[in-house]
Amino acid sequence: MCGICCVVSLTSSQCVLHDHVYERLRHRGPDRSQDVTKSSSDPDYSCLFSAHVLHMRGSLTPQPLQDDDGNLLLWNGEVFGGLTVEPEENDTKVILDQLSSCRSPSDVSSVLSQVKGPWAIIYYQKEEHCIWFGRDFFGRRSLLWSWGSDESSFTLTSVSRRSPDLGTSNCLEVPAVGVYRLDLKSWSQRGSLKVEVYSWGHLDSHFTWEGLPSSVSFVINDSGLVLSSPVPPMNMNVMDAEPNSCNSGRTSLDDLRELLKSTGKREMARRLVDVLGEAVRRRVQHLPHTSNPDQAQVAILFSGGIDSMILAVLADRYVPPDRPIDLLNVAFKLQESKTKQGSGKKGRHDQKEHAIQPKFDVPDRITGRDGLRELTALSPSRKWNFVEINVTQEELREMRGKNICHLVHPLDTVLDDSIGCAVWFAARGTGFVSEGTRERRHSSTAKVVLTGIGADEQLAGYSRHRVRFKTSGLQGLVKELDMELGRISSRNLGRDDRIIADHGKEARFPYLDEDVVSFLNTLPVWEKADLSRPRGLGEKLLLRLAAVELGLGPSAVLPKRAMQFGSRIAKLENSHEKASEKCTRLIAN
């Protein structure tokens, strides 16, 4: 994992990378930093490449990495499949070796389309005077672009800053629709930049690149080449839907156990456990060795809900048994109630009970503790660090203005603010761990942070999916799910990568592993969810069946609760705001 940046000047002007952006890049990659400058007089341009490495596999390999021909690679990613990377190898070196042997754009696009795993790339081909850049199919790594006010310079970077006076207000996320080839010769020839697009499959004819200067033209590559999609199209079939023969309106483990008596349901659940377990294994093994075995190498954003519970059970299979696993549980301080002082209508017992209510016992804290008890029962020899991360309104305001508003940028809604703040504090991992009747301070050392994003989008976990099902039936639901997966890069993943990486940690998304998505995409929608059943059962039905197969109990039937509500950050702010509104709190000071 890395912080990568490329600043290009298309004139004789020197490339400049602002100090605040450089510092945020260093947060992402604290283990090694290096800058390299490349320039040319014909055509006339200069490039500053800045890379900051978080060492995750193989030997520590500084970036930018150059080959013998002067080609240069900045790689922010992990190869979990497609190309062979041995445990002792560094994937940046493997990728550069592959790219160095490429003799044509089709060769480059072929290499990148083989990679399974999250990545963002900036690759400079010296002889061709071009820069390749882009993000993986799902957009699991951040990459932003911005243009200078005179349109003769541009920047590609993992993270920027919300600060209009520094010329970065036009910063946008690079759309994860493919990879791009920027021809630096085109500027000197016609005073405009030509960017060729190599898309994942055929690009939607309605797609447009917004907010870019008129001097930049995006065109489908001259050869009409497309990258091979790493996942098959979603199964849109709704004609042979299975009828729901057991809809009692109740929600209990017995319902799931009854469904698992069907050989087909049990086999489907076991297949999901197998493919998801392999995705988790790839993401928790072969990590850099640490000298202290009492320190966790793997952490999980943990609410006690089904998504994070399953990740914890599967991580327990593959993390060495003598290593702890950190369960990161965030809570925002509950507002003081006006009724705390009591009223004449309340009895003494009511007043006392309300007054001593813990201020951080938010819903996710309560379900998290319940989940911890389930995990301890399943794996009593594992050391589970349930990290209670408590955030006051004062600290929230301070860190939002100092850090979080810049990391969320260029996204700017109320929902981005809520999720961004909750994830930032959770990933920081600073809180308390209870041991018996005592508490001790704990700061998570884990470089890998597993997150459950992708489960709701694929398995109909959100309330809007129920609304769509009620209004438009299975046909509407399957279209909604197809749209969810298509927009996850722009709505969630770049933001979450920037937020988590700010702590020198790497976000990993097992539910978005290519093999997991491929498996789920082959299934008809009624195998994944049955929204005619009640909450806590119908949404993410297949995942709930898998949870029971794994030995989980009450957590398998917990209804979906969004992080902003479960952590209670949404209660701290204006309750009349809509999630899609622009958030004034994200304006930098």
Side-chain angles (χ1 to χ4, degrees):
M1 224 284 296
C2 301
I4 60 177
C5 182
C6 169
V7 182
V8 177
S9 173
L10 300 166
T11 65
S12 57
S13 301
Q14 186 176 3
C15 297
V16 176
L17 177 58
H18 291 287
D19 290 345
H20 53 263
V21 176
Y22 192 87
E23 189 60 29
R24 299 207 170 275
L25 291 168
R26 286 191 62 188
H27 287 183
R28 296 176 60 90
D31 295 328
R32 185 67 65 88
S33 296
Q34 183 173 264
D35 298 339
V36 173
T37 300
K38 294 284 186 178
S39 60
S40 169
S41 57
D42 185 22
D44 187 19
Y45 65 83
S46 61
C47 305
L48 170 64
F49 299 94
S50 184
H52 309 265
V53 176
L54 177 69
H55 179 219
M56 298 301 293
R57 67 198 299 181
S59 59
L60 176 57
T61 303
Q63 294 192 44
L65 191 61
Q66 296 187 67
D67 64 15
D68 294 338
D69 296 323
N71 301 319
L72 184 148
L73 174 66
L74 292 88
W75 174 255
N76 174 25
E78 299 287 347
V79 179
F80 291 131
L83 298 177
T84 300
V85 181
E86 300 298 336
E88 68 279 2
E89 289 186 304
N90 180 272
D91 58 350
T92 306
K93 180 68 166 59
V94 170
I95 293 292
L96 183 58
D97 288 345
Q98 291 280 337
L99 292 174
S100 296
S101 65
C102 294
R103 295 293 174 261
S104 67
S106 64
D107 292 340
V108 175
S109 61
S110 176
V111 168
L112 295 178
S113 64
Q114 292 178 60
V115 178
K116 291 183 178 181
W119 53 266
I121 188 174
I122 301 173
Y123 176 54
Y124 170 73
Q125 285 186 306
K126 180 180 179 181
E127 186 174 346
E128 299 294 327
H129 299 289
C130 72
I131 295 174
W132 291 81
F133 62 96
R135 304 160 69 193
D136 71 81
F137 182 81
F138 297 114
R140 288 165 289 187
R141 292 290 174 259
S142 171
L143 192 63
L144 311 174
W145 56 23
S146 61
W147 305 84
S149 56
D150 61 355
E151 300 186 7
S152 64
S153 64
F154 70 92
T155 300
L156 295 165
T157 180
S158 298
V159 64
S160 186
R161 176 179 170 86
R162 186 181 295 275
S163 182
D165 62 314
L166 291 174
T168 56
S169 59
N170 62 345
C171 177
L172 296 168
E173 290 189 328
V174 174
V177 297
V179 294
Y180 306 81
R181 182 181 182 272
L182 175 62
D183 183 4
L184 294 170
K185 300 187 298 292
S186 62
W187 178 266
S188 60
Q189 293 169 353
R190 56 178 180 267
S192 63
L193 278 175
K194 176 185 176 183
V195 183
E196 288 186 322
V197 184
Y198 296 75
S199 60
W200 301 104
H202 294 285
L203 196 60
D204 187 330
S205 59
H206 300 293
F207 182 85
T208 58
W209 284 269
E210 298 179 352
L212 300 177
S214 58
S215 60
V216 183
S217 60
F218 284 81
V219 296
I220 300 300
N221 66 88
D222 296 337
S223 303
L225 294 170
V226 296
L227 283 74
S228 302
S229 171
V231 299
M234 184 176 292
N235 185 334
M236 307 293 283
N237 179 32
V238 297
M239 299 303 293
D240 303 316
E242 291 185 350
N244 178 2
S245 59
C246 179
N247 186 5
S248 63
R250 60 188 176 154
T251 303
S252 74
L253 281 170
D254 291 338
D255 297 300
L256 295 173
R257 292 176 179 134
E258 185 67 27
L259 284 168
L260 283 171
K261 290 179 180 179
S262 161
T263 303
K265 294 291 188 187
R266 184 176 291 270
E267 176 61 26
M268 202 77 68
R270 287 177 174 175
R271 287 175 61 193
L272 177 57
V273 168
D274 288 344
V275 71
L276 187 56
E278 177 61 17
V280 171
R281 184 195 67 78
R282 294 183 187 125
R283 287 159 175 78
V284 302
Q285 290 191 339
H286 309 303
L287 301 178
H289 295 292
T290 58
S291 57
N292 187 349
D294 293 330
Q295 292 183 335
Q297 295 176 293
V298 174
I300 301 170
L301 298 185
F302 188 78
S303 66
I306 184 173
D307 306 343
S308 58
M309 284 292 289
I310 285 182
L311 292 182
V313 173
L314 294 175
D316 180 56
R317 289 183 173 184
Y318 302 110
V319 173
D322 60 335
R323 285 278 185 177
I325 295 176
D326 286 349
L327 307 174
L328 308 178
N329 184 274
V330 67
F332 292 83
K333 187 176 181 179
L334 296 171
Q335 296 280 47
E336 297 283 353
S337 172
K338 293 180 180 179
T339 62
K340 181 178 177 180
Q341 302 301 321
S343 68
K345 297 180 182 180
K346 281 189 175 287
R348 292 183 179 179
H349 176 74
D350 294 326
Q351 294 178 34
K352 180 180 179 182
E353 190 175 73
H354 190 90
I356 64 174
Q357 179 187 7
K359 294 184 176 63
F360 293 101
D361 270 4
V362 301
D364 278 0
R365 179 62 47 80
I366 295 168
T367 55
R369 287 172 181 153
D370 291 341
L372 174 64
R373 283 189 282 271
E374 280 195 60
L375 294 174
T376 302
L378 281 174
S379 184
S381 61
R382 169 75 63 189
K383 184 178 182 183
W384 300 99
N385 288 325
F386 182 70
V387 189
E388 299 188 16
I389 299 160
N390 300 329
V391 186
T392 64
Q393 194 164 23
E394 293 73 23
E395 187 178 20
L396 170 62
R397 288 171 176 167
E398 178 187 359
M399 292 298 106
R400 177 193 280 125
K402 183 179 179 181
N403 296 305
I404 299 167
C405 69
H406 304 298
L407 300 166
V408 170
H409 182 62
L411 304 188
D412 59 4
T413 69
V414 169
L415 183 62
D416 293 317
D417 173 56
S418 296
I419 298 294
C421 290
V423 171
W424 190 87
F425 282 104
R428 186 173 67 168
T430 301
F432 295 90
V433 171
S434 295
E435 294 176 337
T437 58
R438 301 182 61 187
E439 284 186 337
R440 63 173 173 85
R441 292 284 299 177
H442 182 88
S443 185
S444 178
T445 57
K447 284 186 174 183
V448 168
V449 179
L450 301 181
T451 169
I453 192 168
D456 291 305
E457 288 80 0
Q458 297 180 81
L459 293 156
Y462 292 123
S463 58
R464 60 178 175 266
H465 297 143
R466 283 193 176 274
V467 173
R468 188 66 186 271
F469 174 71
K470 288 179 179 179
T471 58
S472 307
L474 282 178
Q475 187 71 56
L477 176 61
V478 76
K479 289 181 179 179
E480 187 82 7
L481 294 179
D482 189 46
M483 180 185 67
E484 289 277 9
L485 207 54
R487 68 184 184 183
I488 196 171
S489 64
S490 59
R491 285 174 65 96
N492 304 88
L493 294 173
R495 176 199 66 206
D496 289 358
D497 174 68
R498 293 190 294 275
I499 289 288
I500 293 173
D502 191 53
H503 302 293
K505 302 178 182 185
E506 180 170 286
R508 294 187 174 179
F509 311 98
Y511 289 103
L512 291 172
D513 179 89
E514 285 82 353
D515 292 343
V516 173
V517 177
S518 294
F519 168 66
L520 292 175
N521 273 4
T522 62
L523 301 180
V525 66
W526 67 84
E527 294 284 9
K528 297 183 280 191
D530 182 355
L531 300 188
S532 66
R533 298 179 185 270
R535 288 186 69 236
L537 184 65
E539 76 276 16
K540 298 189 284 193
L541 176 60
L542 181 57
L543 197 62
R544 298 182 188 281
L545 295 172
V548 175
E549 276 291 294
L550 287 167
L552 290 172
S555 60
V557 290
L558 280 178
K560 164 67 181 179
R561 185 171 53 234
M563 188 179 196
Q564 65 270 30
F565 301 118
S567 67
R568 280 297 189 259
I569 185 173
K571 289 289 186 180
L572 292 182
E573 312 297 354
N574 182 358
S575 60
H576 298 294
E577 291 176 321
K578 293 182 179 179
S580 59
E581 291 178 353
K582 288 189 180 297
C583 181
T584 57
R585 293 181 296 278
L586 287 173
I587 298 173
N589 295 328

